[in-house]
Amino acid sequence: MNEKDRAKTIIKILNKIYPTTPIPLKHKNIFTLLVSVLLSAQCTDVNVNNVTKFIYPKHNKPEHFVKLGRKKIEKLIKKIGIFRIKAKSIYLMSKQLVEKHNGKVPKTFEELEKLPGVGHKTASVVMSQGFGYPAFAIDTHIHRLAQRWGLSNGKDVVQTEKDLKKIFPKKMWSKLHLQIIFYGREYCKARECYGLTCKICSSCYPSRKKPIITKKA
Ligand code: SF4
C-alpha cells in the first residue's frame, strides 16, 4: 500500500472510531483554552481539567491572572507538573495580553508565538480549536504515530508537521490532530506496540510481523 492509500485508509478508520472530536481540555473561552494548553505540557488533560475546574469559574480573563500575580497562580496550579515555570508563563502571558492586545488572544501564529510560554504547538492548538483555522499541531505522540504508520520519517516534530500537511487535505488537519491523539491514547501508546492487531496497522501493513520501534521526537 502506498503512502496515499495508507492516508486514505487511516482517515476512514479514524472517522469510524472517532466520528466526533470534542476538545479534551475544558475551557470557558479562547483565553482559558490557551492557559489549559500551556498547562498540559508534560501533564495529562485529565489532570489539567481537574485543576482548572476550580480556577476558571472565577479566573477566566488575562486581567484576573495579572491581578492574582505569580505566587497565587503557583498555589492554584501546584498539582500540575513544573507549576512554577507554568505560573510564570501564565502571569507574563496575561500581562502581555492586557498591555499589548487589549486583553484579547491574538488570532495569528506570529502574535501568539510571541507570547511568553507559547510555542508553535500551543499556537497551533489555539488557532485550530479556538479560532477554527486549519492547523496541524504536532506533539511527540502524533510524531510517534506518524512514524509507526509510515507517514513520515522526520527526526523531529517540525519535519513531521510538513510531511503530514502534504499528505492530508487541509480541511481535515484540525480534526485529524485530535483523532490521532485519541487513537494514540487508546491503542498506540508510547511503550506498547502490538504490531499485528491494531486496526490501522493490520489494514495498512497486513504482512508486518514485528512491532515497530520509533525514534524519539
Ligand atoms: S500496531 Fe498498533 S500500536 Fe503498533 S504502530 Fe500500529 S497502531 Fe500503533
Side-chain angles (χ1 to χ4, degrees):
M1 199 182 267
N2 64 30
E3 197 177 69
K4 239 183 170 173
D5 292 333
R6 277 204 301 279
K8 272 191 204 155
T9 305
I10 289 167
I11 291 172
K12 221 168 136 189
I13 294 170
L14 290 176
N15 278 339
K16 204 165 173 200
I17 311 179
Y18 308 110
T20 56
T21 48
I23 298 172
L25 287 167
K26 302 265 188 293
H27 56 284
K28 279 199 167 292
N29 50 33
I30 294 177
F31 170 70
T32 48
L33 173 66
L34 174 59
V35 172
S36 286
V37 179
L38 209 145
L39 289 173
S40 72
Q42 296 175 45
C43 180
T44 64
D45 294 348
V46 175
N47 195 5
V48 172
N49 289 339
N50 280 337
V51 167
T52 57
K53 71 181 174 199
F54 298 109
I55 303 177
Y56 293 161
K58 204 169 162 200
H59 309 290
N60 46 53
K61 290 183 180 170
E63 293 83 351
H64 299 157
F65 286 85
V66 173
K67 206 169 162 203
L68 278 170
R70 260 174 72 179
K71 286 286 159 203
K72 282 192 183 152
I73 301 173
E74 276 184 13
K75 251 188 172 169
L76 289 173
I77 64 166
K78 68 173 188 296
K79 286 195 180 142
I80 288 181
I82 50 172
F83 69 95
R84 285 197 181 87
I85 295 173
K86 289 176 181 173
K88 185 179 173 191
S89 297
I90 291 169
Y91 173 69
L92 293 176
M93 176 188 82
S94 301
K95 204 161 168 275
Q96 198 158 305
L97 287 174
V98 171
E99 287 167 2
K100 295 195 175 159
H101 301 278
N102 232 349
K104 300 261 181 302
V105 177
K107 221 174 173 173
T108 68
F109 277 98
E110 213 194 345
E111 291 169 298
L112 278 168
E113 287 177 29
K114 277 189 191 145
L115 295 170
V118 179
H120 183 62
K121 196 215 104 186
T122 300
S124 299
V125 174
V126 172
M127 286 299 280
S128 81
Q129 295 173 9
F131 293 117
Y133 178 91
F136 215 140
I138 307 293
D139 60 8
T140 52
H141 303 287
I142 297 186
H143 175 78
R144 176 179 78 248
L145 270 67
Q147 281 191 44
R148 287 178 171 183
W149 295 346
L151 302 176
S152 171
N153 58 9
K155 318 184 267 323
D156 52 31
V157 291
V158 177
Q159 184 58 47
T160 301
E161 181 174 338
K162 276 190 198 149
D163 291 339
L164 294 190
K165 281 181 166 175
K166 260 189 241 152
I167 299 167
F168 294 110
K170 200 171 183 171
K171 62 175 195 280
M172 292 182 172
W173 292 351
S174 297
K175 190 171 183 185
L176 270 169
H177 158 81
L178 284 168
Q179 288 173 318
I180 298 175
I181 285 181
F182 295 162
Y183 192 90
R185 280 181 192 163
E186 203 171 339
Y187 302 103
C188 192
K189 298 176 186 169
R191 287 172 217 279
E192 298 162 24
C193 167
Y194 305 108
L196 312 166
T197 50
C198 287
K199 188 88 191 116
I200 286 187
C201 285
S202 55
S203 305
C204 293
Y205 297 98
S207 50
R208 182 186 277 168
K209 295 275 185 291
K210 286 187 196 155
I212 298 263
I213 308 222
T214 40
K215 291 175 240 147
K216 278 199 167 175

